[in-house]
Amino acid sequence: MCHYQTLYHNDNTGYVVRCPECEKIQIGYGNLMVTFGRSEFEDFRWWLRRIKEEQSPAQSPTLRCIVIPTPCDGMKLLLSMRELRDFDTMLESADTELRSLELIKLFES
């Protein structure tokens, strides 16, 4: 059974947690929950940043027109620019915390 470490939590945005035993990373955003392995999490973050960079600055910040693929066939996220920025900030903050924990672990050994 997993015992999660919180990497990021915000009541309005969502959360990112990690199980130190199985190394799975769980993302909760809105009413969606996705679980990744470490490399899948990195790939998803990379893909999300790429999609974010391709967006036009002139587009409406509240119009949900940005499609984000997920690991599940046929399931995609539909986000506005504001939601995409919030989601990206959430994942980047979680990654920073994860990297900090990994560095601390190196010094404990």
Side-chain angles (χ1 to χ4, degrees), residues 59-108:
Q59 84 184 39
S60 168
T62 58
L63 180 64
R64 285 191 172 140
C65 61
I66 304 166
V67 178
I68 310 293
T70 70
C72 302
D73 279 342
M75 185 173 178
K76 296 174 178 45
L77 297 174
L78 184 61
L79 303 176
S80 68
M81 191 61 198
R82 181 178 298 139
E83 291 167 331
L84 178 59
R85 275 190 237 119
D86 289 346
F87 194 42
D88 182 55
T89 298
M90 182 176 94
L91 296 185
E92 291 304 310
S93 297
D95 183 63
T96 299
E97 180 67 19
L98 182 57
R99 290 178 190 275
S100 297
L101 290 170
E102 290 171 344
L103 280 173
I104 291 168
K105 190 176 179 179
L106 286 174
F107 289 105
E108 290 175 350

